Amino acid sequence: MNAMNRTFAVLALSLASACGGSWSNKDLEFLGALPSRTELQSKLPGLSSTSRPLLGTRQDELAVGEASIAYADAKKASGDFNGLLDSLLTVVDTIRQLPPSQRTATSRRWGPYPDSKNPGAEFVLDMTQTDARTYAYVVRVRKAPADFVDILLGNFVATDQLTKGAGQLVLLPAAAKAVIAVSAPLDQLQRIDVGYFTADFPKRVDMVLTFVPGASSGLSGVGYVYRELASGAGAIAYQFRSTNADVSVADVVAVWSPGGAGKAAIEVKQGRYTGAAKAECWNDDFKITYFKEGWAGGTTGGEPGACATIEGL
Amino acid sequence: MSHRATSRWLLLCSLFGAVAAWGQVPTRRFALFVGNNEGGADTQALLYAKDDAKRLHDVFTRLGGVRGEDTLLLLDEPALRLEAALAELERHAQAARVRGERSALLFYYSGHAKDGALRLGGTTLSLDGLKARLSGPAFDTRVAIFDACRSGTVTRTKGVRRAPAFEVDTGGPALASGLVILTSSASDEDSQESDLIGASYFSYHLATGLLGSADQSGDGKVTLAEAYAYAYERTVASTAESAAGAQHPTFAFDLKGNGDLMLTDVAQRNEGLKLPASAPRGTYFLVDPQGVVVAEVTKVDTERLIALKPGAYTVKRRANDRLRVGTFTIAQGQVLTLDETSLKDAKLSDDPVKGTRLRSTFTRHVSLSATGQYQAVFDRPTAQGGYFPSAPLFGAELTFHNLIAKAVSLGVDGAFGWADGRVSSGLVQAAAYRYSLLSFGVTGLYEFNAERAWIPFVGVRIGYNVMRREFSDLPVPAQSFSVMSPGLVAGLKWRFARNFGLLARGRLHYLLYNVDETKSLGYAELGLLFQYEFRE
């Protein structure tokens, strides 16, 4: 075989080996059954979150027209909620960008792929279609030759439209920590449970954080509930915690309209002001339009009619 | 016939009369025909050397009294194979000698010669060594014909003559033996090829002469003397006005004996076209359906028989102010007498042979084309679960014409296409995507009637497609697929100007999909090309 023949042979082999790819209609179904950020994230409009406290440390009086403290706190909670979702979905999204390594009619496997952030570690995602609408998946990680450890479990039941349905997923930071490095705040968590419903409006995402025993935060659990309407209106309910002796624990429900105007109801559950409640409304510019401090000596400003009307949540 | 021509004719007869062994006594004839377009490094590929060898091989096996098992045709073979073929024929000749037969060898070579050697592809064969071998005792009579640049080198040492200057040696025994060498050009000349006739001048005229055109005596047999004289005159005349200058065939001999050397027996097969004595004088061109002039006959007063294979032909005679053109068919075993009155007048501009052909078509050259095409995939629409959409493509092609052989071209192409679509699969409903396609390919083409304005072509193509789709409303990454795809190509080219052409082309390709399932798909492409040919 002369040089030219060898060249052609090598070229032909190279091209032949370059055949194939990730072109799969069925993959779309599996991938579509995985949760996505855009479907689950909180979409509270407006300014980025601030660090202004909700209650307790404020020294000056509330006043109509000032920047809303309740909005700022809801925005921070929304950011925290999204951050935790990111922690969960980063694992899924990383794998989603890679082609499946095994395909059967009812399953897909991605990996084992090396984890670039954890030298020596490799992860794998196994996904199974248990019936026409139901998918289950698990992400495992290991450092060979050790066995794989489950770090994320999930399932999803689709409606007639694949990306719409009801799902659950559980992230197990404590299990992952035994194999790979886990950064804060996940290192304080035993698990994160997420349930979501996107088949219809209002969409719903519930998140429960379970802390490891003896966590530095002193907490055992925290929960978020998020709702979203087709119009863009939304709500988030969460528990506010601080080291302030006046208000150490408070339940907060923030609701907003598509334009950003909203209102929040706060009820103190622990602290010197236990039982006290507060309502605050803001406009599209996130300025206070109405407030009412429901404790002795509390003040009221504006008119309740200045609050946005938001229904369906 | 002029005095000079008569003298040359007599001298030739005397000379070649020395090799009486060919035809007069029981003689076993052997023949070796060698054609090689390639001459290795520092040579430019020839276009017609193989065709020349095939043409002479055909003439001699039909009319030259050479049995099929005693003839060898080597095309694009190396020097080692040539030497092996010679050895094989020498063994056969030895066997014939044992049986009491005499032997004669015809050796024909068309190809490159340079620096004292035949150039067969990347291999060489010393001319002196070959000549020494041909001069050996293996055959009683040897006739060697070299159609190669500066092939006169092989005759320069002894007896070389650039006809029509002859020396005469008619002495010797009655049964001749020895070596005659004909060359297409002198030792300082190039041997020229012609795109118009699709052959080298010398071999073309030699072959035409052997069909009967050279039968000066009118006895139905073409002798070596007649064939050489014909080929010489026509070659010199054909090349006199060429840029390379006139080309002069040469001959050399080293013979003992006497008699006449008959090369072809035109009348033996009793098959061909007879120009009766009553036919008007002039040059008649006999053209086959492929447009190739298979014979040129200069008709004088005597009747002339041209040995043609069965088939359809066009005959043309050029008059001063018009053409006389007609068609005829030769059946097997039939000698057709031409009825000149059956020919029809035609304008000189409608000459089917001369003047309408585009010269240089059969030279190697490159063309560049801009392409626009539509690729239709043989699959369900993607919105109904299909895999690949149809799409328009735009690109360019580079074609190397006559690269492998005349009319055989090699092209490389690249194109880019895109489309928007929607895909449905299972619970995925009408997911929008943007599709893009990169296509590369290598195509081998054969062009019919490549010298004309309308040029049909067919070919094969190996394509390499890289496809990609990105989704706008699904949270999934882009998908890609690449595949080699064999296919067929056909189309029609309209050369509307010397260097410009428009092409309509269709492709039919096989497409193997193997991700979700193994599925044989295909696609058709219909395209238009605007082509520029880089040629003089």
Side-chain angles (χ1 to χ4, degrees):
Chain A
M1 186 182 287
N2 60 31
M4 181 171 287
N5 288 341
R6 280 197 299 273
T7 302
F8 276 116
V10 169
L11 183 62
L13 285 173
S14 300
L15 289 175
S17 63
C19 292
S22 58
W23 198 282
S24 167
N25 289 349
K26 190 68 178 174
D27 282 0
L28 300 179
E29 300 178 40
F30 282 94
L31 290 167
L34 291 172
S36 72
R37 294 168 197 265
T38 53
E39 283 287 337
L40 305 186
Q41 279 185 331
S42 164
K43 302 175 187 64
L44 174 59
L47 307 172
S48 60
S49 63
T50 70
S51 59
R52 295 184 67 184
L54 176 65
L55 290 169
T57 59
R58 181 181 171 88
Q59 299 302 312
D60 52 335
E61 298 295 327
L62 285 176
V64 172
E66 287 196 348
S68 170
I69 296 171
Y71 166 77
D73 190 69
K75 188 68 177 174
K76 180 178 183 306
S78 175
D80 291 344
F81 173 82
N82 288 343
L84 289 163
L85 271 178
D86 280 349
S87 300
L88 274 145
L89 298 182
T90 292
V91 179
V92 174
D93 285 346
T94 299
I95 296 172
R96 198 202 303 267
Q97 299 306 316
L98 300 169
S101 51
Q102 291 180 25
R103 293 181 174 91
T104 71
T106 57
S107 72
R108 290 292 186 274
R109 162 168 279 201
W110 284 262
Y113 291 120
D115 183 350
S116 59
K117 294 180 179 177
N118 293 280
E122 57 185 9
F123 57 87
V124 63
L125 186 154
D126 284 309
M127 192 168 186
T128 304
Q129 184 178 17
T130 54
D131 62 42
R133 297 175 184 274
T134 306
Y135 298 83
Y137 50 92
V138 56
V139 178
R140 299 184 176 96
V141 66
R142 75 169 182 180
K143 283 188 174 177
D147 292 336
F148 279 104
V149 174
D150 295 353
I151 62 169
L152 188 146
L153 305 166
N155 62 69
F156 180 72
V157 179
T159 61
D160 290 340
Q161 191 176 355
L162 179 64
T163 56
K164 308 298 183 186
Q168 294 177 316
L169 65 161
V170 180
L171 181 69
L172 303 169
K177 193 175 177 181
V179 183
I180 57 177
V182 176
S183 56
L186 294 181
D187 60 342
Q188 296 290 307
L189 297 176
Q190 182 76 30
R191 58 188 286 159
I192 302 176
D193 289 83
V194 176
Y196 58 95
F197 175 83
T198 57
D200 201 356
F201 291 101
K203 292 197 292 188
R204 172 182 60 79
V205 182
D206 302 332
M207 181 186 295
V208 175
L209 283 62
T210 303
F211 290 81
V212 295
S216 58
S217 64
L219 302 175
S220 59
V222 171
Y224 294 87
V225 177
Y226 171 74
R227 297 284 186 277
E228 180 183 312
L229 292 177
S231 63
I236 188 167
Y238 59 97
Q239 199 166 61
F240 171 83
R241 290 172 179 270
S242 78
T243 56
N244 187 296
D246 293 340
V247 181
S248 54
V249 178
D251 287 345
V252 182
V253 177
V255 185
W256 59 87
S257 67
K263 54 191 176 184
I266 304 109
E267 182 179 355
V268 179
K269 294 296 184 180
Q270 289 182 24
R272 191 157 62 91
Y273 296 136
T274 297
K278 175 190 167 187
E280 184 175 323
C281 299
W282 62 86
N283 61 15
D284 288 348
D285 296 325
F286 314 111
K287 301 293 174 58
I288 295 173
T289 57
Y290 169 77
F291 68 91
K292 179 180 181 182
E293 295 172 332
W295 57 82
T299 60
T300 299
E303 295 296 329
C307 294
T309 301
I310 304 162
E311 296 179 341
L313 290 167
Chain B
M1 187 181 291
S2 67
H3 171 73
R4 184 173 181 179
T6 302
S7 173
R8 182 169 71 244
W9 175 247
L10 293 174
L11 292 172
L12 276 168
C13 289
S14 301
L15 167 66
F16 292 118
V19 281
W22 198 295
Q24 286 193 341
V25 295
T27 301
R28 188 71 173 263
R29 294 182 167 195
F30 301 92
L32 173 57
F33 300 88
V34 181
N36 200 317
N37 286 342
E38 301 295 330
D42 67 13
T43 65
Q44 185 173 1
L46 300 169
L47 294 175
Y48 309 114
K50 291 194 294 184
D51 291 343
D52 292 339
K54 286 190 280 190
R55 186 194 296 254
L56 268 297
H57 173 266
D58 179 64
V59 170
F60 273 98
T61 51
R62 285 198 304 121
L63 308 171
V66 184
R67 299 179 185 175
E69 64 270 26
D70 292 336
T71 183
L72 293 172
L73 173 63
L74 303 183
L75 301 177
D76 282 345
E77 297 285 359
L80 185 63
R81 182 73 186 90
L82 190 159
E83 292 186 304
L86 265 180
E88 181 181 345
L89 294 182
E90 287 169 354
R91 288 195 300 275
H92 291 173
Q94 179 61 29
R97 181 169 293 165
V98 170
R99 293 192 299 268
E101 297 175 322
R102 291 175 59 80
S103 63
L105 171 72
L106 174 74
F107 175 83
Y108 171 86
Y109 173 81
S110 182
H112 278 282
K114 194 172 185 180
D115 302 329
L118 300 184
R119 305 284 288 268
L120 297 117
T123 65
T124 62
L125 183 66
S126 164
L127 272 171
D128 288 339
L130 178 60
K131 185 179 175 184
R133 185 162 187 174
L134 293 174
S135 301
F139 301 91
D140 296 302
T141 307
R142 288 85 65 193
V143 177
I145 303 171
F146 293 91
D147 189 348
C149 289
R150 294 167 174 75
S151 51
T153 303
V154 76
T155 61
R156 70 178 183 269
T157 54
K158 184 178 181 180
V160 61
R161 295 294 180 269
R162 178 188 288 195
F166 297 103
E167 291 180 358
V168 181
D169 179 5
T170 57
L175 292 178
S177 62
L179 172 64
V180 174
I181 297 176
L182 307 184
T183 72
S184 60
S185 59
S187 60
D188 57 350
E189 293 175 345
D190 289 332
S191 289
Q192 301 170 46
E193 292 185 320
S194 168
D195 298 324
L196 199 58
I197 58 178
S200 81
Y201 285 109
F202 175 74
S203 290
Y204 167 74
H205 290 305
L206 180 63
T208 298
L210 291 170
L211 291 176
S213 306
D215 182 17
Q216 191 73 17
S217 65
D219 62 355
K221 296 178 174 57
V222 179
T223 65
L224 179 58
E226 289 174 325
Y228 177 76
Y230 181 87
Y232 179 88
E233 288 184 0
R234 294 305 177 99
T235 301
V236 172
S238 298
T239 57
E241 302 299 326
S242 70
Q247 174 184 331
H248 299 84
T250 73
F251 70 91
F253 65 97
D254 182 10
L255 296 169
K256 296 175 182 177
N258 201 352
D260 195 8
L261 176 59
M262 186 272 291
L263 289 184
T264 56
D265 186 345
V266 178
Q268 179 187 24
R269 290 185 69 90
N270 201 32
E271 199 171 71
L273 180 70
K274 180 183 291 182
L275 298 177
S278 59
R281 289 188 169 198
T283 301
Y284 291 75
F285 296 89
L286 306 177
V287 187
D288 72 8
Q290 284 72 45
V292 176
V293 180
V294 295
E296 285 182 33
V297 191
T298 301
K299 166 72 174 53
V300 283
D301 293 329
T302 57
E303 83 171 17
R304 186 63 56 86
L305 174 64
I306 307 300
L308 297 175
K309 289 192 288 189
Y313 295 89
T314 298
V315 59
K316 184 205 73 177
R317 182 174 66 83
R318 177 180 283 265
N320 289 334
D321 57 346
R322 66 190 192 284
L323 297 174
R324 299 281 291 160
V325 179
T327 59
F328 64 92
T329 301
I330 302 292
Q332 194 160 12
Q334 178 195 17
V335 173
L336 180 73
T337 300
L338 179 68
D339 178 7
E340 207 279 341
T341 61
S342 68
L343 305 187
K344 295 179 180 177
D345 287 343
K347 295 178 183 178
L348 290 172
S349 58
D350 294 336
D351 190 332
V353 178
K354 310 253 185 206
T356 59
R357 296 191 177 190
L358 297 168
R359 294 184 61 83
S360 301
T361 299
F362 283 142
T363 57
R364 285 183 177 173
H365 65 279
V366 174
S367 68
L368 185 62
S369 304
T371 67
Q373 55 199 352
Y374 187 79
Q375 183 186 86
V377 179
F378 304 141
D379 193 9
R380 287 176 294 171
T382 57
Q384 297 174 19
Y387 291 106
F388 302 105
S390 301
L393 292 100
F394 300 93
E397 296 189 13
L398 191 64
T399 303
F400 301 88
H401 296 273
N402 307 308
L403 181 67
I404 303 164
K406 68 179 182 183
V408 179
S409 303
L410 187 70
V412 293
D413 62 82
F416 178 75
W418 66 92
D420 292 324
R422 291 185 176 275
V423 61
S424 296
S425 174
L427 298 175
V428 176
Q429 296 298 315
Y433 63 84
R434 163 58 64 94
Y435 170 76
S436 61
L437 164 65
L438 264 177
S439 172
F440 306 97
V442 178
T443 304
L445 284 179
Y446 183 83
E447 296 174 310
F448 299 93
N449 304 321
E451 72 278 17
R452 295 186 176 171
W454 291 94
I455 306 168
F457 58 87
V458 297
V460 295
R461 178 175 183 267
I462 291 291
Y464 186 68
N465 293 346
V466 181
M467 292 161 277
R468 178 181 169 86
R469 61 179 177 181
E470 296 178 358
F471 299 90
S472 55
D473 53 7
L474 266 186
V476 299
Q479 294 184 336
S480 62
F481 187 73
S482 52
V483 63
M484 286 188 74
S485 169
L488 302 173
V489 181
L492 181 65
K493 174 179 176 178
W494 174 40
R495 185 184 280 131
F496 62 85
R498 175 161 184 75
N499 295 94
F500 292 94
L502 278 176
L503 293 83
R505 183 189 60 202
R507 291 174 177 160
L508 191 62
H509 271 264
Y510 174 74
L511 175 61
L512 177 67
Y513 173 76
N514 62 354
V515 180
D516 279 348
E517 58 183 325
T518 298
K519 191 172 184 181
S520 291
L521 302 173
Y523 60 86
E525 289 179 351
L526 294 175
L528 288 175
L529 293 82
F530 181 74
Q531 186 177 78
Y532 180 82
E533 293 182 78
F534 295 89
R535 60 177 191 160
E536 296 180 356

